[in-house]
């Protein structure tokens, strides 16, 4: 199916609403609508293969193989794309696919891998989005159940959510125990949402405590971020930072910085904490100072100069975070326009320079770097595709976030 780029994508856009583009240096809005239509065409062509299956986390030669939803952290990014497509087009085929996939999230809760902090990524973009868009109560229950499991990963004495592996000392390898990671800031929205929807404060209390521990141990004085930090689970003693996917323990992994900037922007909206908005702004400034001229970062800001590998997925996450930040700062604040412009320029560059050829790829964005040091780079990444579509929807619609 090919769409006409001059036709409205959906009837949700109200021409009477003042454009948030006013005063922003960027391509015209129609360019983003054209890019969104192309992305929707890409989603369409995957709907049969991935009706109740999922693209893998990253592609092989720009083609995603198919996988099930029993493990891994990325299946929600496909369901999230289906929900976004449903929201902007009203086309039932996307809703049917998302709802079929939701059955697999239900089964996973019973017998799949749930021992991960990534429950936020998994269940926000599937179940919370499904509940927000359809009002179906079973999706709310599913998302709250996932939030409950996420709270089980909280080490009270350490004030942090353990990222990976079982908490049980006998089953867990020592490296993961008491270890928090930068990415978790984007899993906290599930907890903030659960508090809001159930009126039970404890979910938000844990999210807030983790965010505060993150400020102390992951965010550095110059507003760059470390990837992981570990505390001793017996004594509570801080054992220091280490990287997992970045270049070095003291480097700044670009996607980690993007997770943090978007995560604190969302935490600010749920908590009303201006300190979180200000921190998100500092994280954004660091990111913007170090991003490449075409608005897409190298995979790690401190990688050797001759390592030019990019991470388009980090740029897509950052674009959404910058847009969120532009929405929460006061409109008279100069940063509002600056971040909005940066978000749009990033999306423009992604659309022009980083989109795949649909004849040879079933992904949307190329030059994603999942794990550079494990030789997994220069591929499509499923979350990069999701955030690219979210960014384009943000650029063209009055969108309420799923997070
Ligand atoms: N959350 C895992 C990653 O960003 O690769």
């Amino acid at each position: 199916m090919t769409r006409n780029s001059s036709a409205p994508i959906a009837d949700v856009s109200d021409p009477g609403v003042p454009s948030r583009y006013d005063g922003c240096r960027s391509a015209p809005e129609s360019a983003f609508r054209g890019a969104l239509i192309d992305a929707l065409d890409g989603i369409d062509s995957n709907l049969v293969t991935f009706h109740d299956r999922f693209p893998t986390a990253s592609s092989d030669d720009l083609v995603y193989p198919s996988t099930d939803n029993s493990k891994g952290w990325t299946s929600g990014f496909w369901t999230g794309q289906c929900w976004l497509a449903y929201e902007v087009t009203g086309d039932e085929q996307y809703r049917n696919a998302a709802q079929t996939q939701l059955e697999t999230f239900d089964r996973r809760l019973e017998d799949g891998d749930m021992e991960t902090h990534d429950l936020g990524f998994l269940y926000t973009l599937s179940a919370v989005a499904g509940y927000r868009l359809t009002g179906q109560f079973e999706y709310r229950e599913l998302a709250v159940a996932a939030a409950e499991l996420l709270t089980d990963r909280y080490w009270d004495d350490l004030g942090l959510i353990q990222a990976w592996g079982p908490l049980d000392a006998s089953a867990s390898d020592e490296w993961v125990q008491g270890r928090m990671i930068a990415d978790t800031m984007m899993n906290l929205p599930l907890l903030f949402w659960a508090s809001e929807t159930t009126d039970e404060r404890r979910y938000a209390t844990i999210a807030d405590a983790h965010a505060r521990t993150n400020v102390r141990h992951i965010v550095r004085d110059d507003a760059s971020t470390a990837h992981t930090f570990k505390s001793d689970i017996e004594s509570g003693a801080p054992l220091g930072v280490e990287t997992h996917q970045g270049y070095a323990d003291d480097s700044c992994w670009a996607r980690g910085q993007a997770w943090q900037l978007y995560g604190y922007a969302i935490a600010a909206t749920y908590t009303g904490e201006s300190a979180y908005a200000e921190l998100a702004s500092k994280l954004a400034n660091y990111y913007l100072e170090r991003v490449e001229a075409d608005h897409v970062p190298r995979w790690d800001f401190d990688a050797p100069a001759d390592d030019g590998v990019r991470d388009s997925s980090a740029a897509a996450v950052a674009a959404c975070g910058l847009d969120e930040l532009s929405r929460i700062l006061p409109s008279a604040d100069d940063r509002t326009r600056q971040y909005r412009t940066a978000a749009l320029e990033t999306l423009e560059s992604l659309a022009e320079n980083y989109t795949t050829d649909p004849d040879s790829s079933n992904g949307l964005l190329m030059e994603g770097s999942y794990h550079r040091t494990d030789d997994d780079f220069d591929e499509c990444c499923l979350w990069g595709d999701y955030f690219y579509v979210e960014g384009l929807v943000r650029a063209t619609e009055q969108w309420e976030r799923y997070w």
Side-chain angles (χ1 to χ4, degrees):
M1 173 184 160
T2 305
R3 291 181 184 77
N4 174 354
S5 61
S6 62
I9 294 168
D11 52 15
V12 291
S13 47
D14 174 356
V17 175
S19 172
R20 298 180 62 249
Y21 283 69
D22 294 348
C24 292
R25 272 182 306 111
S26 76
E29 188 163 351
S30 60
F32 295 105
R33 297 181 75 76
L36 178 57
I37 286 164
D38 290 344
L40 290 171
D41 285 340
I43 294 171
D44 282 6
S45 46
N46 281 333
L47 277 181
V48 172
T49 312
F50 303 123
H51 188 71
D52 60 352
R53 305 261 310 162
F54 296 84
T56 49
S58 59
S59 60
D60 294 340
D61 293 332
L62 302 182
V63 176
Y64 292 113
S66 153
T67 187
D68 66 15
N69 187 14
S70 57
K71 58 184 187 325
W73 65 284
T74 55
S75 41
F77 296 113
W78 170 234
T79 309
Q81 287 179 63
C82 293
W83 281 130
L84 287 170
Y86 171 62
E87 187 175 0
V88 298
T89 64
D91 188 333
E92 293 288 330
Q93 65 169 339
Y94 304 115
R95 175 175 172 157
N96 289 338
Q99 293 196 280
T100 304
Q101 291 156 31
L102 262 152
E103 292 165 20
T104 73
F105 284 92
D106 202 18
R107 285 199 292 276
R108 179 167 174 163
L109 189 70
E110 298 306 319
D111 57 22
D113 177 16
M114 299 293 283
E115 285 187 314
T116 169
H117 71 127
D118 288 316
L119 297 172
F121 285 127
L122 290 163
Y123 284 85
T124 302
L125 294 179
S126 57
V128 177
Y131 177 59
R132 289 193 196 275
L133 295 182
T134 69
Q136 284 181 228
F137 199 71
E138 69 261 34
Y139 298 153
R140 176 186 179 276
E141 286 185 319
L142 183 58
V144 171
E148 195 62 47
L149 289 176
L150 188 52
T151 64
D152 290 347
R153 303 188 63 75
Y154 180 67
W155 287 97
D156 205 3
D157 293 348
L158 310 181
L160 61 84
I161 292 170
Q162 180 176 315
W164 297 307
L167 273 70
D168 173 5
S170 61
S172 180
D173 90 67
E174 206 191 314
W175 193 79
V176 297
Q177 283 190 312
R179 187 173 296 277
M180 68 188 298
I181 72 172
D183 323 27
T184 307
M185 278 307 299
M186 277 304 288
N187 286 313
L188 302 186
L190 179 66
L191 297 178
F192 285 125
W193 169 86
S195 258
E196 222 172 63
T197 199
T198 62
D199 250 346
E200 283 188 51
R201 182 80 206 129
R202 63 197 170 86
Y203 300 104
T205 302
I206 286 175
D208 195 49
H210 180 96
R212 287 171 197 282
T213 305
N214 186 96
V215 174
R216 286 202 305 281
H217 296 298
I218 295 279
V219 183
R220 305 188 183 107
D221 289 347
D222 64 355
S224 70
T225 49
H227 187 196
T228 85
F229 166 81
K230 179 173 162 72
S231 280
D232 186 290
I233 57 164
E234 303 296 341
S235 66
L239 297 179
V241 299
E242 228 176 292
T243 197
H244 177 59
Q245 279 154 285
Y247 172 66
D249 295 344
D250 60 355
S251 74
C252 183
W253 177 50
R255 192 162 66 251
Q257 188 79 9
W259 292 138
Q260 292 269 300
L261 108 75
Y262 195 3
Y264 276 105
I266 296 174
T269 66
Y270 276 108
T271 61
E273 277 274 359
S274 58
Y276 286 160
E278 287 306 318
L279 179 56
S281 171
K282 287 186 181 130
L283 293 160
N285 292 346
Y286 184 91
Y287 176 91
L288 292 172
E289 274 159 25
R290 302 208 62 189
V291 74
E292 299 297 301
D294 72 350
H295 310 282
V296 172
R298 292 193 303 140
W299 66 284
D300 188 301
F301 292 118
D302 301 301
D306 62 356
D307 181 347
V309 168
R310 300 298 184 92
D311 184 9
S312 62
S313 76
V317 174
C320 296
L322 290 162
D323 182 70
E324 186 64 26
L325 195 48
S326 80
R327 294 176 189 228
I328 63 178
L329 293 168
S331 55
D333 189 320
D334 286 347
R335 292 174 295 175
T336 299
R337 188 159 294 172
Q338 181 204 337
Y339 295 145
R340 176 73 174 155
T341 299
L344 293 173
E345 288 177 343
T346 304
L347 290 166
E348 189 182 345
S349 177
L350 290 173
E352 276 180 12
N353 308 316
Y354 291 86
T355 43
T356 55
D357 173 354
D359 291 335
S360 54
S361 173
N362 61 2
L364 300 180
L365 285 186
M366 52 192 185
E367 294 198 50
S369 174
Y370 186 4
H371 201 145
R372 170 74 178 96
T373 52
D374 264 2
D375 280 339
D376 191 346
F377 61 97
D378 258 351
E379 290 289 350
C380 305
C381 293
L382 194 55
W383 60 92
D385 290 357
Y386 168 80
F387 285 101
Y388 176 57
V389 181
E390 182 187 306
L392 293 172
V393 172
R394 283 174 171 274
T396 51
E397 308 282 341
Q398 301 294 314
W399 187 67
E400 298 286 327
R401 43 162 228 273
Y402 302 155
W403 302 99

